[in-house]
Amino acid sequence: MPVKVVVGAQWGDEGKGKIVDLLSEQVDIVARCQGGANAGHSIEVGNKKYVLHLVPSGILHPHTKCYIGNGVVLDLEVLNAEIEFLASKGIPLHNRLFLSSQAHLVLPYHKLIDQYGENRTALTVIGTTRRGIGPAYSDKVNRQGLRVGDLRYPAQFTNKLTTRLNEIKLRYADAPEIQSLDAIQEAEKYLSQAQKILTMITDVSLELDRAIKQNQSILIEGAQGTLLDIDLGTYPFVTSSNAISGGACTGLGIGPTKIDQVIGIIKAYTTRVGLGPFPTELVGEFGAALRELGKEFGATTGRPRRCGWVDTLIARYAARINGIGEFALTKLDILDSIQEIEICTGYQYKGEILKEFPVDMNVLLQCTPVYESFKGWMAPISHITEFDALPSIAKDYIQRLEDLCEITFSIISVGPGRENTIFRNK
């Protein structure tokens, strides 16, 4: 049985939650490989909506086991709230949710450091969610972090936290919120929160290896999207982890030869949250109207997303660095009432047309998109479940995207529900 990785092919918010939920019905395990509670997956089942920040989307299928890998930074307060929410909805969790002992913890001072950084001058602002994700990853890389496994040793955990907090107080002497933190109180609070998850801690790498040897099927999900990858995204306006498919290996402790397939998720238009370059961004009334049509507000923060036309240079770039074999196209229905739809086919830069995504941000900031125009299909499509039943203009739009992206679109989402989906490869 295959090991599949699902990755976002834009700046995140592509609709990965729905696609992972759909694919989870056919797998034994869903594993989360990176990111933290700064990302949210929204899933609609019937008339119920579930917003998950840390628990893998596959949890909504009772037969599926879910793992949170070492590449994730874990906020226990958020995790416990999700566990309680799912339990209240009758979602069984016993022997189904497991956490890597090697995952790093998001601690209270990480959130305060994040807020401190984002409250400085405009030159240093990135546009983070202020959830402490970046500072937690910084501690990890600096070898100063605390991990999930440390929670099993209360005295050791308290000593480590005390040492680290004392160091932070020296560095942030002008931050009264940080100075007011008491290490013993924070340790006691965190250790109390940990009581709910201690039985879930395991060696995720070992568990997944055993599952692969037993021929179980595994679906790997991450957070954010390709252009928010710390190495290959639009740096410095990126997240603090590897959001590309390679992050599946480092974030779960599995070798690259174990991965059979990479599925990219791309939205029928483009959005991004926070600051940074965005060549096809639509400003003014039309951009605001598209945001309202697509309900483009962050699942984690509620922040309005910047909206623009679909960009095939980004799609090809994502396909190349992720090894994407097929795309899932989401939110096609949001374009139902738009009279003219644009597809970005290149960038104009200093008198030449670029056909590949430039990794130099100084170049990207000076690029102007080159578009092809399509007449809109001006008809509702959410009820359609077969590709051939789509309006001919919609089919032409998809097939042109396939030609430009050089990738087949095997799944097409035409609405938020599970039933609002077209599978082209049965």
Side-chain angles (χ1 to χ4, degrees), residues 25 33 51 55 85 92 123 141 166 184 190-191 203 249 294 305 308 358 369 385 389 396 403 425:
E25 187 176 6
C33 63
V51 179
V55 177
F85 167 75
L123 292 176
V141 173
N166 287 339
I184 302 301
Y190 224 80
L191 288 166
D203 183 339
C249 297
R305 296 174 184 143
T385 58
D396 290 344
D403 291 341
N425 300 325

Side-chain angles (χ1 to χ4, degrees), residues 73 97 100 108 126 128 130 142 241 249 274 284 302 330 344 388:
V73 288
L97 180 62
S100 171
I126 299 296
T128 77
R130 306 186 180 212
N142 288 328
S241 59
C249 297
T330 62
C344 176
D388 288 342

Side-chain angles (χ1 to χ4, degrees), residues 4 102 109 120 123 128 141 150 152 187 195 277 291 328 364:
K4 299 181 181 181
Q102 297 165 297
Y109 49 76
R120 290 179 295 170
L123 292 176
T128 77
V141 173
D150 292 325
R152 294 182 290 200
Q195 295 305 306
R291 181 184 304 118
L364 185 61

Side-chain angles (χ1 to χ4, degrees), residues 7-10 14 224-229 232-233 243-244 317-318 321-322:
V7 293
Q10 295 161 314
E14 299 95 348
Q224 290 91 30
T226 296
L227 293 186
L228 292 180
D229 184 270
L232 296 164
I244 62 170
Y317 177 69
I321 64 176
N322 287 293

Side-chain angles (χ1 to χ4, degrees), residues 268 330-337 377 379-382 413-416:
T330 62
K331 287 199 162 184
L332 184 65
D333 57 300
I334 302 304
L335 305 182
D336 284 355
S337 60
W377 45 91
I381 61 172
S382 292
S413 174
V414 293

Side-chain angles (χ1 to χ4, degrees), residues 380-391 414 419-422:
I381 61 172
S382 292
H383 63 287
I384 295 174
T385 58
E386 297 290 337
F387 181 77
D388 288 342
L390 285 170
V414 293
E419 69 280 5
N420 306 125
T421 311
I422 297 169

Side-chain angles (χ1 to χ4, degrees), residues 311-374:
D311 187 328
T312 58
L313 281 74
I314 287 174
R316 286 199 305 276
Y317 177 69
R320 169 162 54 88
I321 64 176
N322 287 293
I324 292 170
E326 59 186 89
F327 273 132
L329 181 67
T330 62
K331 287 199 162 184
L332 184 65
D333 57 300
I334 302 304
L335 305 182
D336 284 355
S337 60
I338 296 179
Q339 293 182 351
E340 188 169 343
I341 300 166
E342 308 278 9
I343 298 175
C344 176
T345 61
Y347 297 152
Q348 190 170 55
Y349 172 71
K350 292 188 175 180
E352 64 174 313
I353 302 298
L354 305 182
K355 289 296 186 180
E356 299 295 339
F357 182 76
V359 296
D360 186 328
M361 290 304 103
N362 292 312
V363 173
L364 185 61
L365 285 166
Q366 299 178 63
C367 286
T368 303
V370 177
Y371 290 118
E372 280 187 15
S373 295
F374 270 75

Side-chain angles (χ1 to χ4, degrees), residues 84-386:
E84 291 175 7
F85 167 75
L86 290 166
S88 72
K89 300 297 182 182
I91 307 297
L93 298 175
H94 181 64
N95 286 332
R96 293 188 59 228
L97 180 62
F98 303 93
L99 321 174
S100 171
S101 62
Q102 297 165 297
H104 279 249
L105 295 167
V106 177
L107 294 156
Y109 49 76
H110 291 136
K111 298 176 184 180
L112 294 176
I113 292 170
D114 205 355
Q115 293 164 18
Y116 176 91
E118 288 295 291
N119 287 334
R120 290 179 295 170
T121 65
L123 292 176
T124 61
V125 171
I126 299 296
T128 77
T129 58
R130 306 186 180 212
R131 298 297 174 98
I133 307 305
Y137 275 114
S138 294
D139 271 4
K140 173 181 178 176
V141 173
N142 288 328
R143 294 161 292 191
Q144 296 170 313
L146 280 77
R147 306 202 291 184
V148 169
D150 292 325
L151 296 167
R152 294 182 290 200
Y153 310 99
Q156 179 178 305
F157 177 85
T158 301
N159 289 337
K160 285 186 176 182
L161 189 147
T162 300
T163 299
R164 184 65 186 130
L165 183 54
N166 287 339
E167 294 168 346
I168 287 168
K169 285 184 175 182
L170 289 174
R171 183 175 179 182
Y172 296 94
D174 61 340
E177 297 87 355
I178 294 175
Q179 296 299 319
S180 67
L181 291 176
D182 181 273
I184 302 301
Q185 290 180 0
E186 295 301 326
E188 289 176 349
K189 182 169 67 176
Y190 224 80
L191 288 166
S192 175
Q193 293 173 343
Q195 295 305 306
K196 296 180 181 179
I197 58 93
L198 288 177
T199 59
M200 300 178 182
I201 300 173
T202 190
D203 183 339
V204 168
S205 172
L206 180 61
E207 292 287 321
L208 294 181
D209 184 66
R210 287 171 174 166
I212 292 169
K213 289 176 179 176
Q214 293 168 6
N215 207 32
Q216 294 185 48
S217 54
I218 300 173
L219 186 66
I220 300 172
E221 67 167 353
Q224 290 91 30
T226 296
L227 293 186
L228 292 180
D229 184 270
I230 184 65
D231 289 297
L232 296 164
T234 48
Y235 188 90
F237 301 99
V238 293
T239 192
S240 301
S241 59
N242 287 114
I244 62 170
S245 59
C249 297
T250 56
L252 290 167
I254 63 172
T257 56
K258 303 297 184 184
I259 294 173
D260 300 289
Q261 184 180 12
V262 181
I263 302 170
I265 315 299
I266 188 168
K267 196 149 49 180
Y269 51 99
T270 309
T271 61
R272 80 168 296 173
V273 173
L275 305 177
F278 185 176
T280 66
E281 182 174 13
L282 295 164
V283 295
E285 291 184 8
F286 189 79
L290 184 57
R291 181 184 304 118
E292 291 296 329
L293 280 172
K295 299 178 182 177
E296 295 295 349
F297 300 90
T300 299
T301 63
R303 290 188 298 176
R305 296 174 184 143
R306 299 157 64 190
C307 297
W309 295 119
V310 71
D311 187 328
T312 58
L313 281 74
I314 287 174
R316 286 199 305 276
Y317 177 69
R320 169 162 54 88
I321 64 176
N322 287 293
I324 292 170
E326 59 186 89
F327 273 132
L329 181 67
T330 62
K331 287 199 162 184
L332 184 65
D333 57 300
I334 302 304
L335 305 182
D336 284 355
S337 60
I338 296 179
Q339 293 182 351
E340 188 169 343
I341 300 166
E342 308 278 9
I343 298 175
C344 176
T345 61
Y347 297 152
Q348 190 170 55
Y349 172 71
K350 292 188 175 180
E352 64 174 313
I353 302 298
L354 305 182
K355 289 296 186 180
E356 299 295 339
F357 182 76
V359 296
D360 186 328
M361 290 304 103
N362 292 312
V363 173
L364 185 61
L365 285 166
Q366 299 178 63
C367 286
T368 303
V370 177
Y371 290 118
E372 280 187 15
S373 295
F374 270 75
K375 292 180 69 174
W377 45 91
M378 305 301 290
I381 61 172
S382 292
H383 63 287
I384 295 174
T385 58
E386 297 290 337

